[in-house]
Each structure stands twice: as C-alpha cells, then as structure tokens.
Amino acid sequence: MRQYRITVFTVCLLLLALVAQASAVSVTISPEQIEEGDTITIGISGLQDGSIFALRMEAAIELDGASTFTYQSNQVSVPFGMESPRVLLLASPVTEAGLEASDGDTIKRMTQRTQTGEVRITQSLDAIPSGTIEVLKAFGKPVDGSDYVDMMLELSGTKKGPDAGSITFGLEGISDGSARIIVLVDGSEAMNQQITIGTPTVTPTPTTAPPTGGSSGSSGGTTTPVPVDQVSVSSLDGIVWLQTVASSVTWASPDDIRIIQSEPVNIPADWIALSGSYIISPTGISFQPPARLSFVMDGDAGTPFIAAYRDGGWTIVPSRVEGSSLVVEISGGGQYAMMSYHSDDPAPVVTEGPATPPVTSDAPLNEVPPTEAPAAEKSAGGLVAILTTGVAGLLLMGVRKRG
C-alpha cells in the first residue's frame, strides 16, 4: 500500500509538471535575418485567455535623402483577439507621422503633426477581433537634414481566443534596416530579439532611452548635454521616467532598458488604478544603488501611491512626492503602477521630499521633464480596430525604400 501511495504521488507530480510546462508561454520569432519581400513569423503558444499581451517594436528607418517615408506590410494575420487594447506610436525627428490600414474596400488613417520634432500617438480602442488585413503602412515627413527616423510602436491588451497561433506578415519596399521585437505576457518578458533586414547602416536608437553619454531625448534635432554616466529612459506616453547611472546597472546593458506599457490586472477591490502598469525591461536587470522611478501626477484625486506587481498581486512600495511627480527607488526590473484607495479608505503614507538617498554619481542627475503629447486624430468605425489588429505587421517597417 505504501509503495502504491508513493507511485500515485509521483504520478501526480509528473502530471502537475506536464500541466505547468503545457501552460508556459512560448514565443519564437523567425527568421532573424530577412530580405525585402520575406515573411516574418511570431509563433506563440500557451497564451491563456485573460493574459495581458504586449508587443513592442523599435526600428531605424533610413531616409537616403528622401523628404517622406512610407513603409508597408501585407497580409497581416493575428490569430487571437484583444480586449481593452491600446496602441502607441513614437516617431522622431519628424514634422508629421501616422498609421494607415486597408481591408480592401476601406482605408483609414491616423495622422499627427508636430513642431517639436516628435510625434506621439496614443489610442485606446474597442475590442480587436482576430483576422487578416491586406495593407498596413507607417508614413510621415522627417525633419529636414535627418539621415533616419527612429520609430517605436507598442500594442497591448487582454488576449481573447486561441492559446496558440502565429502572427505573420510580409514586407514590401524595404531593403536595409534593423528592428527589435519585445514580447511581454503579464508583465514578464517572453522574447526580446533583434531582426536584421538586408545590410543596414544604422541601428535603432530609442528616442526616450538615449545611450549613456548621448543626448537626453529628441526634440527635432536639438540635444541637451547630460553627464557621461547618466541613463534616462521614459515610457512612450512620457508619464514614467527612470533615471540611474551606467555603473549601477548589472545583468543587462544600460542601452537595453525599456519602459513598456501594459494594463494592470488583479487590482485589489479597494484600490483604483490611476495609470496603466509600466514594465521595467529586461525583467532580470539590477540597479545597485537603486534607480529613481518617477510617475507624473495629473491632479489625481485622493492620495496616489506606487505599487509593484509581485507573485500575482500588488504591493505598496515606499514613495515620495517631488514637485508634480511621485518617486520610488527600485533595485530591479518588474511591473509598477500608480494607484489610490477609494475615497472612504485610509491612504498610505507618502512622504514629501526624499525618503531614501538618491542615486549617487560623480555628476548630478538632471531630470529630463516629460513633454506633453499633442492629441492624436481619432477615427471611428470598425476599421480602427482592424488598424490595431494589424499593427504587428507594421512593427518591422525597417528602413530604406528602394529607388
């Protein structure tokens, strides 16, 4: 009987292990090197309903003297739908930029002009169905004299539909370039891969995450000197900023730091989310001494606080108010959001001024203030959902158009 119980116990453990393996999310991206006209495939399995799926692409678009850029993907197929989706686009240095989609009979476009050299488009849309669109394009006009345009595109939402499938798309009008694809599921990084297109001469340099010793963001070709060791990164919407020094970063390169937006899940019943959740990627990165993470407050009611998502739940972390920002010190990657209690509940203690020692360096940390994004043109109708559904195809828009 004892041997029988041990056998049953062992079998149960094996079954649990198999279930865990079967439910684990797997993401593959192929091929890593492509030429114009090739098809890109993002294979996904084990993606359960209710998972927060986020897909981000960074690409350097070579201009070769052109006064406009238009890059196109065809037959974009997405196997599952998304609820509460949000799409963000950042392009610089440009005078205008936008997205366009066609389902064969109808064309829909979103365009934004700018005088700062930077376009930010943020769209929260209705639920996206699974399906295929025929054409998806990114377009715009660069600032005069620019050699290339940096573009970042981010799509996130709650997955609905098959647990496995492939996002596929073909490319046209592209010869040389590079792009980075980052896939996150429930705040954890599932894939981070660089794709090479043809023989590029430039690589993506994220506008809001300048390399150490570089400029502190883009403003239409102008730069602001920063201390050599300083690292400053922001989310695409400009709400969240991370500052540290290169010497404090381990387990990743400072140039690889990203702040990726998502939707908070499992929020306690007595809390209110004042922002989306923001993922500090790569998740295995470490900051010693801690990095400074700040959320811009916008007249939020009640007493806001910052919470971290750990082990399937949210935990309040010590924070302080500095001007119009709520600031926390973090020692590694992860998922953070700005929250508040309902009005009848007690609020956590938030200190005025520094609660913990700031990051130290031989040079001072000069905060780069986030800029307010102009409002994007909003389009109504079913094709807006199609636009976002096909956004993955646009993500590899890569680069120099021939001829």
Side-chain angles (χ1 to χ4, degrees):
M1 179 64 68
R2 176 181 174 84
Q3 184 176 359
Y4 173 78
R5 287 198 296 267
I6 293 175
T7 301
V8 171
F9 180 73
T10 302
V11 170
C12 289
L13 287 178
L14 289 173
L15 288 174
L16 287 172
L18 289 173
V19 169
Q21 291 175 3
S23 62
V25 177
S26 174
V27 178
T28 60
I29 301 174
S30 63
E32 295 183 16
Q33 170 88 40
I34 65 170
E35 300 293 337
E36 180 180 1
D38 289 349
T39 296
I40 298 295
T41 300
I42 303 176
I44 302 171
S45 63
L47 186 61
Q48 298 181 356
D49 276 353
S51 298
I52 304 300
F53 179 82
L55 182 61
R56 177 172 176 161
M57 174 59 55
E58 302 166 358
I61 303 176
E62 296 188 30
L63 299 171
D64 197 25
S67 59
T68 62
F69 58 90
T70 302
Y71 301 99
Q72 178 173 309
S73 58
N74 299 321
Q75 296 300 310
V76 183
S77 176
V78 179
F80 50 78
M82 298 181 75
E83 297 177 344
S84 302
R86 177 168 51 190
V87 59
L88 299 98
L89 170 69
L90 171 63
S92 74
V94 297
T95 58
E96 68 176 59
L99 305 173
E100 180 180 305
S102 171
D103 62 359
D105 298 322
T106 309
I107 297 175
K108 208 71 173 182
R109 88 166 28 204
M110 302 156 59
T111 307
Q112 181 177 299
R113 294 184 177 90
T114 180
Q115 295 181 341
T116 67
E118 182 176 88
V119 162
R120 295 174 184 259
I121 295 177
T122 302
Q123 287 286 310
S124 296
L125 305 172
D126 295 331
I128 302 172
S130 61
T132 301
I133 68 170
E134 292 190 4
V135 175
L136 186 66
K137 294 194 297 186
F139 58 89
K141 297 179 180 179
V143 170
D144 289 344
S146 301
D147 294 325
Y148 64 95
V149 170
D150 275 337
M151 295 194 74
M152 291 195 290
L153 193 65
E154 187 172 288
L155 169 68
S156 65
T158 303
K159 175 262 181 183
K160 186 73 173 179
D163 290 355
S166 297
I167 300 173
T168 61
F169 44 90
L171 301 173
E172 283 190 4
I174 297 171
S175 57
D176 305 296
S178 61
R180 179 174 293 277
I181 298 175
I182 303 173
V183 177
L184 298 104
V185 177
D186 291 334
S188 297
E189 194 171 90
M191 176 59 67
N192 187 329
Q193 183 168 309
Q194 184 87 5
I195 300 292
T196 301
I197 307 169
T199 307
T201 59
V202 297
T203 56
T205 52
T207 303
T208 52
T212 55
S215 65
S216 58
S218 169
S219 55
T222 63
T223 60
T224 301
V226 297
V228 172
D229 197 32
Q230 180 174 321
V231 179
S232 181
V233 185
S234 87
S235 57
L236 287 186
D237 60 6
I239 290 176
V240 177
W241 288 75
L242 181 143
Q243 285 185 295
T244 186
V245 289
S247 57
S248 77
V249 181
T250 56
W251 303 110
S253 167
D255 294 345
D256 291 335
I257 301 173
R258 305 290 185 269
I259 302 178
I260 301 175
Q261 287 181 249
S262 188
E263 292 292 331
V265 296
N266 300 333
I267 301 173
D270 57 341
W271 290 15
I272 301 172
L274 301 179
S275 72
S277 63
Y278 293 83
I279 300 157
I280 311 304
S281 173
T283 53
I285 198 168
S286 177
F287 305 106
Q288 292 297 331
R292 179 183 188 274
L293 186 69
S294 62
F295 283 70
V296 176
M297 297 184 292
D298 187 21
D300 300 302
T303 304
F305 57 88
I306 297 176
Y309 192 68
R310 298 167 179 162
D311 300 323
W314 291 95
T315 302
I316 297 174
V317 293
S319 60
R320 64 183 184 272
V321 175
E322 292 186 6
S324 61
S325 295
L326 194 58
V327 180
V328 65
E329 308 293 334
I330 63 171
S331 58
Q335 186 174 179
Y336 299 85
M338 187 162 58
M339 307 275 192
S340 178
Y341 280 100
H342 288 292
S343 57
D344 295 335
D345 297 321
V349 175
V350 179
T351 61
E352 290 281 350
T356 56
V359 177
T360 57
S361 171
D362 292 336
L365 290 177
N366 299 321
E367 181 172 2
V368 182
T371 56
E372 177 137 359
E377 290 184 15
K378 295 189 73 172
S379 303
L383 192 60
V384 175
I386 295 176
L387 172 68
T388 314
T389 305
V391 81
L394 178 61
L395 299 178
L396 276 177
M397 51 202 155
V399 270
R400 187 174 64 231
K401 189 175 181 181
R402 283 198 180 132

